[in-house]
Amino acid sequence: MNYIEIKGKIVKVFASNISWASILIFLEEECFQSKEVQAMHLKDHVMKAAGNIMSAGEECEITAKGYAKIDPKYGLQFHVLESSIREPKTEQSIFKFLTKFIDGVGDITARAVVNTFGVATLDVIKNHPERLVEAGVSKKKAEKIHESYLSNKIYEEISDFFHGDVTQNQVIKIYHAFGKDSIRRLKENVYFLITDLDGFGFKKVDKLALASGIQRDSQIRIDAAITEILKQNEFQGNCYCEVDAFESLARDFLKENRVDPKVVAKCLAEQHRLRNIVIREDKIYRRAVYDAEDNVAKKIVELCKRTKGFYESKDIEAAYQTLSHGFYSLDEIQKKAVFRSLRNGMSIIYGGPGKGKTSIIQMICDIWEYLAVKPKYQKEHGSIVLLAPTGRAAQRMNESTGRPAMTFHRFMASLKNKNSAVAKEFDNEKTLYIIDEASMCDILLLSNLFKRETLKHCVIVGDSNQIPSIGPGKVLWDIINSGVVPATKLEVSYRFGGNISVNSDMVLAGRGEKIVTGAADGADFSTFLHTDAIEIKNETLRRYKLRCKYFGVRETMCIVANRQKRGGPLASENLNLELQEFMNSQGEKIPGSGLRVRDRVMYTHNDYEKECIDRKGNVSLGVFNGDLGIIESYSKEDESIRVSFDDGRSAEFKISYLSSLTLAYALTIHKAQGSEAKAIIISLSNREIYNFNRNLLYTGITRAKSHLDLLGTKKALKIAIGKIGSINRSTTLIQRIHYYMKQ
């Protein structure tokens, strides 16, 4: 295929994001010296183009390399492989650029800045941002505009480095990790994407490296391959890889990539010497994971051996009698859990939904705060910090306790600033840490928290029957089964009435034949069993609309097993499109995103600096992976949308940065974990039976607070209920806890 180069001015942008755009170009006269361009018989020197185009703004000049093709839908179109955009030069084009690509700049700010600085606006933003105050911009906002401008330029450079073969999310991840140093790091050693970041496959990175002249048997390449093999193993939930298994994986992996096994063995030994990996007996770890297990084990033992600084039993009892009188009381097991939590450096409370975990957390907090202000305890007892692995789980914790709750990531990010309100209140030895949804914590996440010297008192809450974390480890299961940490198992159900509670227990017991159901549109638990996936899908659509009508869209959730489109009509990617059309066909389309106003969406990344506004007008920072919301509005003038999240906050997003938002009518069980809704619909077909099990089904069922619809084939349900979810992950946390207990 003959590639050609075209130059011209962008006269219209149909759709765009960070790394892709669909545009209309007015070609320069010199382009028509090319026979290929002449053969296109273009009308008015105008050509449609789409592909690797970053920061495409109207009136910007563009140089693009690619080829012409006939698109069945759009006709003649230029497919862009590489492109470069020259910054806008006119005041009008600069105005459009600012409102489209610079975060925090709307029409009013853009007009004020352009009116003040004219065609020199971009130079001021780039080199003299302090001058923006002359246009009425605050100092803080000026800094934000400057950073947003620089990030856009670096985004372009990163995309160009990959020749456009990179996703928007990957570009953002590189920038967030390395900022202004991103390009330098990429040029020095592109393999750092594998060794230092998650989300980058070996093949893409290796292709770039080999093209730049890296030898196949070079050490940095082999080091990256070793890291890739270990990360793939961690993705299966393992903390280490046995030597025999590693050698087998390496043979397959490196045979494909033409590497001598002897070279691998040499590099493996060198990586061990440099402490990038750890080899213990027959086990190979990445250093980060090895240290994480060690950190967690040491902290657990430290907390369990702590003997001072606790409330006395008589004072706890007196506080309990005072606080529970006239409000609520706990059963003896629940009460024991409260006492253990306040009398031990670390304790565990575990059991299924409806077993009283929330009531226990509430009572722990009430007693702690009641006694902490007493003169007897003031010196050793302070605030409580409530933590959860996901934004949705933190939100639920906040709603159920009436107290602020944070994600691990948000909490740790806040502590980096010693002057922050979070650091001042919680970063001391007087704080009580309460961690909910602990089954979702992997070893790296928990270690990051447990490395804090000031953490001296911790309560861990979770459900050991739920699916374990996506990342390495089986933390909650290991801590419970170590036998070292005081643990309270809750078995009596209080929250659920009727069939949801009964059936969740039946699933755990493997007694699917005992599942109790009722009328499809009235009972708290109903089923629809059919052999045809299309019929199951159609019934899913019908019931979703019905439940939304009764419970509301924020309290209705559809849960499936597979995400990818090849998973059939019940894969989340396919079902989301069906539900979008079924529920929101009239919603205003948002260009270049596949989203519509009023769509149910989920945020899929952590953005700690994103400004949000709550219902009272208060500003806070942070939008996090798993946050659910609804697109409230779309502004054509500002080219932005506003999302109203379920926690009552809202945030504005430029449409060029919407890849972090995805449709959320249907979620996989892993995405839904940590969330709850009044109405849950679980939809399964025979396609899911081989990667589905009892624990996955149990996790899905226990997301429901009021009503559950279980839709699928008899075969799929029977096999799922009959297959016990494997907890057979390779970890050494229990052994390490026992080792340090003996020290």
Side-chain angles (χ1 to χ4, degrees):
M1 182 178 293
N2 293 326
Y3 297 114
I4 58 174
E5 186 177 272
I6 60 172
K7 297 180 179 179
K9 181 180 290 186
I10 300 173
V11 293
K12 187 173 181 60
V13 179
F14 299 107
S16 68
N17 58 38
I18 286 179
S19 58
W20 178 91
S22 173
I23 62 176
L24 196 66
I25 304 175
F26 182 85
L27 299 184
E28 293 182 359
E29 191 66 42
E30 67 181 74
C31 295
F32 291 88
Q33 297 176 11
S34 164
K35 293 181 180 179
E36 289 85 354
V37 176
Q38 293 173 13
M40 298 176 192
H41 303 292
L42 299 174
K43 185 179 180 181
D44 299 326
H45 287 204
V46 173
M47 167 174 262
K48 293 179 181 177
N52 176 36
I53 307 169
M54 293 192 65
S55 302
E58 293 176 9
E59 298 189 42
C60 288
E61 295 178 357
I62 183 173
T63 299
K65 183 179 180 181
Y67 58 90
K69 67 174 185 178
I70 304 297
D71 187 276
K73 185 176 182 180
Y74 300 105
L76 179 64
Q77 194 172 52
F78 192 77
H79 182 68
V80 180
L81 299 174
E82 300 177 24
S83 67
S84 61
I85 302 286
R86 292 178 290 286
E87 289 184 344
K89 297 178 180 179
T90 67
E91 290 188 6
Q92 182 60 21
S93 62
I94 292 171
F95 172 82
K96 289 183 177 180
F97 176 84
L98 293 178
T99 57
K100 185 175 180 65
F101 295 107
I102 304 302
D103 197 26
V105 176
D107 284 1
I108 295 174
T109 301
R111 183 60 64 198
V113 172
V114 173
N115 285 345
T116 303
F117 301 108
V119 295
T121 293
L122 296 182
D123 179 69
V124 171
I125 292 173
K126 180 181 179 181
N127 299 309
H128 308 285
E130 71 280 357
R131 290 193 60 196
L132 291 175
V133 297
E134 299 172 24
V137 178
S138 69
K139 185 178 179 181
K140 183 178 180 181
K141 191 169 183 177
E143 292 173 354
K144 186 175 180 180
I145 291 172
H146 174 66
E147 288 299 318
S148 180
Y149 173 85
L150 292 181
S151 68
N152 266 281
K153 306 313 294 179
I154 297 174
Y155 288 161
E156 292 181 27
E157 292 178 24
I158 294 171
S159 184
D160 288 344
F161 181 87
F162 285 92
H163 306 292
D165 187 22
V166 62
T167 68
Q168 179 180 350
N169 292 337
Q170 288 173 325
V171 170
I172 294 172
K173 183 175 287 188
I174 293 170
Y175 178 77
H176 281 182
F178 304 105
K180 298 175 183 179
D181 286 335
S182 297
I183 296 301
R184 179 184 63 80
R185 293 290 302 271
L186 287 168
K187 290 179 177 178
E188 286 180 354
N189 176 15
V190 70
Y191 288 113
F192 84 85
L193 296 175
I194 296 170
T195 56
D196 296 0
L197 293 179
D198 294 321
F200 291 87
F202 184 85
K203 287 186 177 180
K204 180 183 289 186
V205 174
D206 193 46
K207 181 180 177 181
L208 279 171
L210 293 173
S212 69
I214 293 289
Q215 299 299 307
R216 290 187 177 274
D217 59 354
S218 66
Q219 183 167 329
I220 60 171
R221 183 173 186 256
I222 307 304
D223 290 346
I226 291 170
T227 299
E228 175 78 358
I229 293 169
L230 293 175
K231 280 189 172 184
Q232 287 180 4
N233 185 59
E234 290 168 18
F235 188 72
Q236 303 301 316
N238 302 309
C239 291
Y240 64 84
C241 187
E242 292 183 356
V243 171
D244 290 346
F246 178 87
E247 290 175 349
S248 177
L249 290 168
R251 279 195 299 271
D252 294 340
F253 186 88
L254 296 170
K255 181 180 179 182
E256 180 183 347
N257 294 285
R258 292 185 283 170
V259 177
D260 186 347
K262 293 180 181 178
V263 179
V264 177
K266 183 180 178 181
C267 289
L268 193 66
E270 180 65 9
Q271 284 292 295
H272 178 60
R273 187 187 71 80
L274 294 172
R275 297 176 59 82
N276 294 326
I277 66 170
V278 177
I279 303 176
R280 289 287 184 270
E281 299 175 345
D282 60 343
K283 302 174 180 64
I284 304 175
Y285 305 76
R286 276 199 310 128
R287 167 61 62 178
V289 179
Y290 180 88
D291 288 346
E293 272 204 338
D294 220 48
N295 291 334
V296 171
K298 286 179 179 177
K299 177 60 72 172
I300 288 171
V301 172
E302 175 196 329
L303 296 181
C304 288
K305 288 185 175 182
R306 187 183 172 200
T307 58
K308 296 181 179 180
F310 304 114
Y311 293 130
E312 294 182 14
S313 295
K314 63 179 183 178
D315 294 327
I316 299 172
E317 180 65 38
Y320 173 77
Q321 294 299 330
T322 300
L323 295 168
S324 64
H325 182 70
F327 294 95
Y328 58 89
S329 60
L330 307 178
D331 65 29
E332 287 304 309
I333 299 295
Q334 293 172 327
K335 189 176 174 182
K336 183 186 290 185
V338 172
F339 274 63
R340 281 176 170 171
S341 299
L342 297 169
R343 293 284 300 154
N344 293 277
M346 186 175 189
S347 61
I348 297 174
I349 304 161
Y350 67 106
K355 300 296 194 293
K357 296 192 297 293
T358 298
S359 297
I360 294 171
I361 292 173
Q362 185 82 33
M363 182 57 77
I364 291 170
C365 292
D366 287 348
I367 293 176
W368 179 276
E369 292 171 345
Y370 180 83
L371 293 176
V373 298
K374 304 290 184 183
K376 183 178 180 180
Y377 296 113
Q378 277 183 338
K379 290 183 179 181
E380 293 184 330
H381 297 79
S383 300
I384 302 168
V385 59
L386 304 180
L387 300 175
T390 68
R392 181 62 178 148
Q395 179 192 333
R396 282 177 48 221
M397 213 176 178
N398 168 246
E399 292 169 350
S400 61
T401 66
R403 295 172 170 84
M406 291 178 278
T407 65
F408 280 67
H409 293 101
R410 184 177 181 183
F411 179 66
M412 298 302 293
S414 299
L415 292 182
K416 291 179 180 178
N417 179 6
K418 296 295 183 181
N419 295 318
S420 69
V422 171
K424 289 179 179 178
E425 182 173 2
F426 300 118
D427 196 14
N428 58 75
E429 296 184 359
K430 299 167 66 175
T431 298
L432 171 64
Y433 289 72
I434 301 180
I435 300 169
D436 199 10
E437 294 288 355
S439 64
M440 300 175 66
C441 293
D442 63 42
I443 196 70
L444 293 165
L445 184 65
L446 195 63
S447 172
N448 202 28
L449 179 69
F450 276 18
K451 283 190 292 187
R452 305 207 62 78
E453 290 291 329
T454 54
L455 195 160
K456 299 296 181 182
H457 199 157
C458 180
V459 180
I460 294 178
V461 185
D463 183 354
S464 59
N465 288 312
Q466 287 191 31
I467 52 177
S469 62
I470 295 175
K474 44 179 180 162
V475 176
L476 179 62
W477 194 93
D478 279 347
I479 297 175
I480 292 170
N481 286 278
S482 71
V484 170
V485 182
T488 305
K489 183 178 182 181
L490 308 174
E491 298 185 277
V492 179
S493 182
Y494 291 92
R495 189 184 73 189
F496 289 142
N499 295 332
I500 295 177
S501 176
V502 171
N503 290 335
S504 63
D505 290 340
M506 290 298 174
V507 167
L508 273 184
R511 302 177 66 186
E513 77 281 357
K514 297 291 186 180
I515 284 181
V516 181
T517 188
D521 297 337
D524 66 336
F525 193 111
S526 62
T527 59
F528 175 82
L529 302 179
H530 204 286
T531 57
D532 186 67
I534 299 298
E535 289 298 322
I536 297 170
K537 179 208 71 177
N538 291 336
E539 184 66 11
T540 300
L541 300 180
R542 188 188 77 81
R543 295 203 189 188
Y544 190 93
K545 190 171 187 176
L546 182 68
R547 305 309 174 213
C548 285
K549 186 176 180 180
Y550 188 80
F551 295 105
V553 68
R554 295 186 191 269
E555 288 290 348
T556 302
M557 183 184 297
C558 181
I559 296 178
V560 297
N562 289 341
R563 178 183 67 84
Q564 297 178 332
K565 290 183 177 181
R566 64 175 181 268
L570 295 179
S572 64
E573 290 184 355
N574 297 321
L575 191 56
N576 266 314
L577 294 174
E578 293 270 7
L579 284 165
Q580 181 193 47
E581 189 64 26
F582 193 70
M583 299 293 298
N584 193 30
S585 61
Q586 301 303 309
E588 183 180 4
K589 294 183 178 180
I590 300 165
S593 69
L595 302 174
R596 299 172 181 173
V597 175
R598 303 305 304 169
D599 269 341
R600 183 68 162 151
V601 292
M602 173 183 279
Y603 203 73
T604 58
H605 289 83
N606 293 314
D607 187 345
Y608 303 104
E609 302 301 320
K610 188 66 182 177
E611 287 190 354
C612 298
I613 302 174
D614 66 17
R615 295 187 181 99
K616 296 180 180 180
N618 300 315
V619 177
S620 61
L621 296 179
V623 182
F624 305 102
N625 186 13
D627 283 355
L628 291 163
I630 293 171
I631 298 176
E632 291 290 353
S633 61
Y634 161 55
S635 170
K636 290 183 180 179
E637 291 184 359
D638 294 341
E639 293 193 300
S640 66
I641 66 168
R642 180 159 291 278
V643 177
S644 167
F645 291 103
D646 292 358
D647 62 1
R649 303 186 306 157
S650 65
E652 184 179 282
F653 299 89
K654 296 287 186 181
I655 63 171
S656 38
Y657 294 83
L658 291 189
S659 68
S660 293
L661 284 170
T662 185
L663 291 173
Y665 297 99
L667 302 174
T668 64
I669 289 180
H670 286 92
K671 284 288 188 183
Q673 193 180 13
S675 300
E676 288 183 337
K678 290 181 179 178
I680 295 291
I681 302 166
I682 300 176
S683 300
L684 303 169
S685 71
N686 288 345
R687 286 177 178 259
E688 288 84 30
I689 60 178
Y690 299 108
N691 62 358
F692 210 65
N693 59 56
R694 186 184 302 175
N695 297 87
L696 284 165
L697 183 57
Y698 169 83
T699 300
I701 290 174
T702 54
R703 302 307 90 205
K705 293 190 288 186
S706 303
H707 186 99
L708 187 129
D709 292 299
L710 183 57
L711 319 180
T713 68
K714 288 184 179 179
K715 181 180 180 182
L717 293 175
K718 183 178 180 180
I719 291 178
I721 294 171
K723 186 189 295 183
I724 301 174
S726 176
I727 199 71
N728 188 28
R729 296 182 166 191
S730 298
T731 72
T732 51
L733 182 59
I734 292 177
Q735 295 93 312
R736 296 197 205 199
I737 293 172
H738 290 165
Y739 171 80
Y740 287 117
M741 282 296 295
K742 295 175 182 177
Q743 302 303 301

